[in-house]
Amino acid sequence: MGGFLTRAVLAAAFALAPLSAFAQQPMIIKFSHVVAEGTPKGQAALKFKEVAEKLLPGKVKVEVYPNSQLFGDAKEIEALLLGDVHFVAPSLSKFQKFTKVLQVYDLPFMFPNMEAVDKFQDGKVGQAMLKSMEKKGLLGLGYWHNGLKQLSANKPLLVPEDAKGLKFRVQSSDVLVAQFQAVGANPQKLAFSEVYQALQTGAVDGQENTWSNIYSQKYQEVQSDFTESNHGLIDYMVVTNAKWWNGLPKDIKEGLTKAMKEATAVNNKVADKLNQDAKAKVAASNAKIHELTPAQRKQWQEAMKPVWKKFEKDIGANVIKAAQDVGNSS
Ligand code: LMR
């Protein structure tokens, strides 16, 4: 009898072993993005991993995939909705299929500086936008900054006339298409991972991006002239799969929320410095950087301004006004 019991206990223990071993496996959480690790988003994603694993030891393992390694622009949101990845942080220009309100961030010369962006995002309208795609399965957990965009081509771009007839790469945003059409240029939507080669082969003549993206993608090797135009914004929404997030155990959700908060703080602290450092490196390369005079800047502003009216209906006049109000007070 004793022998039988021992055998039964042992058998039960054996049967349970794989289960308990399974229970101890940390949850694998995948974070995919398209930029280099040394950029504001790259750094923030690594911080998120570090803090999440510290707060939830043995419970989660965060795998960060930079540089479109796992999914590129076209696929990352789709993969999130399918549950193949748990966090992505696309630029706000890449959500057009899901909501039109975020197009306010693409309007040329909408935000004079990052302080205005912060104020807008912290306000009622900016916060409501985080939930604007929930019905479509996407939940925004916060905004991460990159910075303001600069123009480049293989000739100086000082007034709108200089851009006429040139092909510019744009992100998948109709506002950005309209922005380049407004100055007589030809916009081409292209995934981020394809831009360097398109510039190198001449498939496109120019581009717009932040200094940190420009330098980390080595655009200074294939563009001779950069203009510090600060004409638009690259900013991100960190999104997760709403269903997956709402089904997480309480402790994990709390830990990840805290980690996201810390990563956001780090992102917003380092973004400006990373862009300034990158600008200095571009300046030290063979490429030239041009500053605009106030009169030149005004010409770009006036040429691109009709884009606001064109998208007012889609975005909502009240949303544009809210953004404009913070801009005027920053
Ligand atoms: C781009 O496609 O130019 C950027 O949105 C890339 C990024 O995520 O910063």
Side-chain angles (χ1 to χ4, degrees), residues 33-36 39 41 73 76 89-94 146 149 169-172 190-193 195 207-210 212-213 217 219 233-236:
H33 66 83
V34 300
V35 292
T39 60
K41 179 162 62 180
D73 278 344
E76 64 178 12
S91 113
L92 295 170
S93 315
K94 293 176 184 166
N146 190 326
K149 285 185 285 195
R169 177 267 171 167
V170 291
Q171 302 178 68
S172 56
L190 268 184
F192 185 59
S193 59
V195 182
Q207 64 80 46
E208 53 167 7
N209 224 312
T210 60
S212 57
N213 276 346
Q217 296 299 313
Y219 295 163
L233 174 74
I234 297 235
D235 214 77
Y236 310 106

Side-chain angles (χ1 to χ4, degrees), residues 18-278:
L19 243 188
S20 61
F22 177 76
Q24 278 161 18
Q25 292 296 314
M27 177 190 270
I28 304 289
I29 294 176
K30 295 186 182 178
F31 194 132
S32 171
H33 66 83
V34 300
V35 292
E37 285 194 331
T39 60
K41 179 162 62 180
Q43 291 292 296
L46 290 175
K47 190 71 187 176
F48 174 69
K49 169 185 169 66
E50 179 197 315
V51 179
E53 289 178 354
K54 195 176 79 197
L55 292 177
L56 299 163
K59 291 188 179 170
V60 300
K61 182 168 182 293
V62 180
E63 296 175 355
V64 180
Y65 298 91
N67 287 318
S68 309
Q69 242 169 46
L70 193 59
F71 299 108
D73 278 344
K75 286 271 178 295
E76 64 178 12
I77 300 182
E78 219 175 278
L80 186 85
L81 290 171
L82 289 172
D84 293 338
V85 61
H86 307 92
F87 294 97
V88 294
S91 113
L92 295 170
S93 315
K94 293 176 184 166
F95 289 100
Q96 178 177 298
K97 265 207 268 177
F98 300 91
T99 179
K100 298 264 190 259
V101 293
L102 292 176
Q103 292 185 326
V104 69
Y105 291 102
D106 277 343
L107 294 177
F109 297 98
M110 179 83 256
F111 297 97
N113 49 45
M114 297 310 288
E115 195 193 327
V117 177
D118 264 334
K119 272 197 208 159
F120 180 68
Q121 291 175 340
D122 290 345
K124 231 168 82 187
V125 178
Q127 287 299 301
M129 285 175 173
L130 293 172
K131 302 205 159 170
S132 63
M133 299 176 281
E134 211 171 346
K135 282 206 184 90
K136 300 199 171 138
L138 292 175
L139 179 64
L141 295 181
Y143 294 102
W144 284 358
H145 291 338
N146 190 326
L148 297 176
K149 285 185 285 195
Q150 322 302 342
L151 287 167
S152 74
N154 283 317
K155 64 184 258 197
L157 300 169
L158 302 177
V159 290
E161 184 72 15
D162 296 331
K164 215 171 180 171
L166 297 187
K167 283 180 261 163
F168 282 88
R169 177 267 171 167
V170 291
Q171 302 178 68
S172 56
S173 153
D174 290 345
V175 176
L176 300 179
V177 166
Q179 168 195 274
F180 279 107
Q181 284 170 342
V183 296
N186 301 317
Q188 308 237 343
K189 288 184 182 175
L190 268 184
F192 185 59
S193 59
E194 292 166 24
V195 182
Y196 178 90
Q197 210 191 351
L199 291 168
Q200 190 182 35
T201 58
V204 292
D205 306 301
Q207 64 80 46
E208 53 167 7
N209 224 312
T210 60
W211 290 120
S212 57
N213 276 346
I214 287 167
Y215 181 71
S216 59
Q217 296 299 313
K218 305 193 173 78
Y219 295 163
Q220 70 280 3
E221 291 178 359
V222 287
Q223 296 277 268
S224 61
D225 291 82
F226 291 83
T227 299
E228 182 142 66
S229 49
N230 289 325
H231 64 284
L233 174 74
I234 297 235
D235 214 77
Y236 310 106
M237 189 186 285
V238 188
V239 286
T240 186
N241 179 315
K243 201 166 155 211
W244 173 77
W245 180 258
N246 292 328
L248 283 176
K250 193 165 169 272
D251 59 333
I252 296 204
K253 199 193 274 189
E254 273 173 16
L256 295 180
T257 302
K258 267 195 197 151
M260 189 55 66
K261 224 172 156 186
E262 275 199 48
T264 303
V266 164
N267 164 264
N268 296 353
K269 214 171 92 194
V270 301
D272 187 47
K273 182 167 180 348
L274 289 175
N275 279 311
Q276 289 316 313
D277 290 353

